[in-house]
Amino acid sequence: MLRALEIRDMLIIDRLELVFQPGLNVLTGETGAGKSILLDSLGFVLGWRGRAELVRQGADQGEVTAVFDLPAGHDARVVLANAGLPEGDGELILRRVNTADGRKTAWVNDRRCSGEVLRALSDTLVELHGQHDDRGLLNPRGHRAMLDAFAGLDRARAHTRECWAAMGAARKAVEQTRAALDAVRAEEDRLRHEFAELDELDPQPGEEPDLDTRRRQMQAAEKIRDDVVRAHVLLGGEGGEGAEPAIGDALRWLEGVTDSADGVLDTPIAALGRALDEISEAQRGVEEALDTLQFDPFELERTEERLFAIRALARKHDVAPDELADLAHGLRDRLAALDAGDADLATLTADLERAQVAYDAAADTLSEERAEAASRLDSAVMAELAPLKMERAVFRTEITPSDPGPDGRDAVAFTVTTNPGVPPGPLNKIASGGELSRFLLALKVCLTGPSSGVTMIFDEIDRGVGGATADAVGRRLESLAAGGQVLVVTHSPQVAARGAHHWRVHKQSDAQSTLSTVTPLAEPDRIDEIARMLAGDTITTEARAAARALLGD
């Protein structure tokens, strides 16, 4: 509910503070007094598109503040949460400033926000209805949602959306799987050839450096083994006499005469003994080296062939040799997926078909319930049109097939015809100004439930009607306001008399400026205002009596 509206330096308003109440709030005044400025100012703070220049002449900036009650569970709280804005303590304060050079700045609960956020909030706070309203009842894009709300189809529509989402997910899975299979099939021959090469070679992590080390060892052995063999022969190995026999013979000769040498031969005999030991140790070491250097030339060839094959495959696939094993595993998985892909695709396709069936069933149910609700809505609107002196008019809710979507497969449009034999058409194309106003009112009465939580504003919706018809309009506005809040700008005394709260808008001019003010009316002033609306500038006794009669009805 709109609780307060404060306007500073906007158009011909210098300073204005209004406090609104629940129920039917009426604003009256002579043509040109500034009633539309109030709506322009409210639309400005709500982020609606309106006049380009709103700042009062001579002022640096204009400012509008609107305060709304915000009970728990109000839809505006969702908008605030999504925008990361504070929810406030049971109230919502919107403030927007327009500088003289055209810059606009907005705040929500003292936090800066964008015009987009303001417009999103306005959709949850205010409904504006009038002859040129393209945001509400005259906008066909919202007719389906209005019909669904009238029919109470929240649960059915939520189920349809779930089915649509499930069908979309199933379709995406089929498309992704099919695309992946097509991509693999396009290179299947290459993948199978590459995998066959890798599978046949079967390279293992760490194998390439091991092969390289073994190759180097065998290459080195090939170069030095001949020299080692020669040394082995000279040391007495492989048929060579070596130095050991000669040293042994010399040692025996010396030992034979040592007793007669008086110790002179002890030192050479000991040295020859050590020499024999060293030569024997050297011979064993050379033999061990020969064993180490022993290799099969065919092994070197095989080692080199495998090493070169691994390196060639690594270059071919532009990977490190140790990554070839992982590459082979990846190719094996892709080929396995290809082999199993047809079965997977068949399963996913079956899932999609089931999801399609579920969506079709949900959409069909939604269409049936909409058709039944449309018939009830048509009857309800027609019942409302008779008291509004539109007995010959026909209202129809047209439901036509549309492209499938999350809300079903129906396009909904409210159509009317005002004369027999004339084909139905959109509200704003067929009805005249006064007729359109009454159509909108009748439709709103039927679509609005008790305590909707939204402030409804009607801008001269009673234009072109009077007498009993205007009284019927007033009664319906009064009914709409029960338990909620309605603001109506009116020139009809019958409508004004139905208001629970009444403001008079008037304009004052002098040589320097023109200003518009708004005054709340108590009972005596209210009688005079309604009398003025009945009789014009000259308020007669009869007009006052008629005003009292309207107010006392």
Side-chain angles (χ1 to χ4, degrees):
M1 183 187 79
L2 176 62
R3 194 168 75 230
L5 184 67
E6 183 178 347
I7 304 171
R8 297 284 188 275
D9 293 320
M10 299 290 281
L11 294 171
I12 60 172
I13 295 176
D14 61 346
R15 183 183 181 93
L16 182 64
E17 295 182 11
L18 297 176
V19 178
F20 294 101
Q21 303 294 330
L24 180 59
N25 298 260
V26 298
L27 293 96
T28 62
E30 296 179 354
T31 301
K35 297 184 295 297
S36 63
I37 297 176
L38 297 178
L39 298 184
D40 289 336
S41 298
L42 180 59
F44 169 73
V45 78
L46 290 171
W48 297 350
R49 290 179 175 84
R51 300 187 187 184
E53 298 180 358
L54 290 171
V55 180
R56 186 171 64 86
Q57 186 174 3
D60 294 331
Q61 67 179 34
E63 178 179 330
V64 181
T65 302
V67 181
F68 290 85
D69 287 330
L70 201 63
H74 196 286
D75 291 344
R77 293 186 180 271
V78 177
V79 178
L80 293 173
N82 292 337
L85 294 170
E87 296 185 11
D89 187 15
E91 69 177 12
L92 177 65
I93 302 175
L94 310 181
R95 183 166 67 94
R96 198 178 189 202
V97 171
N98 190 12
T99 60
D101 60 6
R103 290 181 292 110
K104 298 177 177 63
T105 309
W107 291 263
V108 173
N109 290 339
D110 289 330
R111 289 273 296 274
R112 286 281 296 272
C113 75
S114 65
E116 181 180 356
V117 171
L118 286 181
R119 287 186 287 274
L121 285 171
S122 76
D123 289 340
T124 69
L125 298 169
V126 171
E127 290 182 1
L128 174 63
H129 303 291
Q131 296 180 45
H132 306 291
D133 172 28
D134 60 355
R135 295 170 57 87
L137 299 177
L138 296 185
N139 185 354
R141 288 179 296 180
H143 289 177
R144 184 174 63 190
M146 293 178 193
L147 178 62
D148 290 350
F150 171 79
L153 298 181
D154 289 348
R155 181 176 298 179
R157 189 166 59 178
H159 177 59
T160 304
R161 288 177 175 175
E162 291 173 359
C163 292
W164 173 263
M167 186 173 65
R171 180 179 292 109
K172 183 177 181 180
V174 168
E175 291 172 350
Q176 289 178 339
T177 302
R178 181 177 289 118
L181 287 175
D182 291 344
V184 175
R185 286 194 181 101
E187 52 180 355
E188 180 178 2
D189 291 342
R190 178 182 65 80
L191 293 177
R192 293 195 183 279
H193 172 71
E194 291 178 352
F195 175 72
E197 284 184 326
L198 289 165
D199 188 54
E200 181 180 3
L201 187 62
D202 191 24
Q204 301 298 316
E207 183 180 7
E208 188 266 349
D210 289 345
L211 289 173
D212 184 62
T213 299
R214 180 60 180 153
R215 173 176 173 261
R216 292 178 186 276
Q217 289 175 342
M218 287 188 288
Q219 286 177 331
E222 187 177 31
K223 292 178 181 179
I224 67 173
R225 192 175 190 280
D226 289 344
D227 291 338
V228 177
V229 169
R230 291 188 185 96
H232 185 245
V233 171
L234 290 175
L235 289 173
E238 296 184 2
E241 293 184 359
E244 187 175 0
I247 294 174
D249 289 344
L251 183 61
R252 284 193 298 274
W253 284 108
L254 291 175
E255 287 176 344
V257 295
T258 186
D259 293 339
S260 302
D262 295 329
V264 174
L265 297 177
D266 291 345
T267 298
I269 289 173
L272 288 174
R274 292 194 302 272
L276 283 174
D277 291 338
E278 293 293 336
I279 289 173
S280 177
E281 184 177 351
Q283 189 170 0
R284 287 195 301 273
V286 170
E287 289 174 351
E288 289 175 359
L290 283 175
D291 290 340
T292 301
L293 295 173
Q294 184 70 30
F295 71 94
D296 182 356
F298 293 107
E299 181 186 357
L300 174 60
E301 182 180 353
R302 289 192 299 270
T303 298
E304 288 183 333
E305 287 178 353
R306 183 164 180 82
L307 177 64
F308 295 156
I310 289 175
R311 289 176 173 176
L313 269 182
R315 288 193 300 272
K316 177 179 178 179
H317 295 288
D318 193 23
V319 298
D322 281 353
E323 296 174 355
L324 288 173
D326 290 338
L327 178 63
H329 292 318
L331 290 174
R332 181 185 293 110
D333 292 342
R334 293 181 67 182
L335 291 171
L338 176 62
D339 295 337
D342 289 335
D344 292 341
L345 185 59
T347 299
L348 292 173
T349 301
D351 292 341
L352 175 58
E353 291 173 352
R354 285 190 292 270
Q356 178 73 59
V357 170
Y359 171 77
D360 289 341
D364 287 344
T365 299
L366 194 57
S367 296
E368 292 170 0
E369 294 184 357
R370 281 174 176 155
E372 187 276 332
S375 177
R376 289 191 288 111
L377 178 60
D378 293 347
S379 298
V381 174
M382 292 295 292
E384 288 292 328
L385 289 176
L388 296 173
K389 305 304 179 185
M390 298 188 69
E391 300 89 345
R392 303 180 66 183
V394 177
F395 174 88
R396 287 289 180 270
T397 303
E398 291 191 354
I399 301 177
T400 56
S402 70
D403 294 334
D407 292 323
R409 300 173 300 201
D410 304 312
V412 177
F414 299 146
T415 65
V416 300
T417 179
T418 55
N419 296 300
V422 177
L427 282 171
N428 56 344
K429 301 295 184 182
I430 299 298
S432 64
E435 293 170 334
L436 177 58
S437 299
R438 284 175 278 168
F439 266 119
L440 293 177
L441 181 58
L443 184 56
K444 193 60 188 176
V445 168
C446 296
L447 290 175
T448 302
S451 301
S452 65
V454 177
T455 296
M456 289 176 280
I457 301 175
F458 292 88
D459 183 15
E460 298 187 6
I461 199 168
D462 51 4
R463 178 179 296 179
V465 300
T469 303
D471 182 65
V473 170
R475 290 178 184 275
R476 277 147 185 79
L477 289 170
E478 185 179 27
S479 174
L480 276 177
Q485 185 185 53
V486 172
L487 274 63
V488 58
V489 175
T490 180
H491 288 284
S492 169
Q494 291 87 349
V495 172
R498 292 287 171 183
H501 315 282
H502 193 161
W503 284 267
R504 180 172 182 264
V505 184
H506 55 98
K507 183 168 59 177
Q508 297 175 331
S509 300
D510 56 28
Q512 284 76 35
S513 64
T514 298
L515 296 176
S516 181
T517 61
V518 180
T519 305
L521 300 181
E523 191 66 20
D525 294 328
R526 191 176 183 196
I527 292 173
D528 285 347
E529 174 64 7
I530 294 177
R532 181 197 61 78
M533 297 172 72
L534 288 166
D537 291 337
T538 302
I539 301 176
T540 64
T541 302
E542 292 79 3
R544 285 194 175 91
R548 290 189 182 92
L550 287 176
L551 289 169
D553 187 5

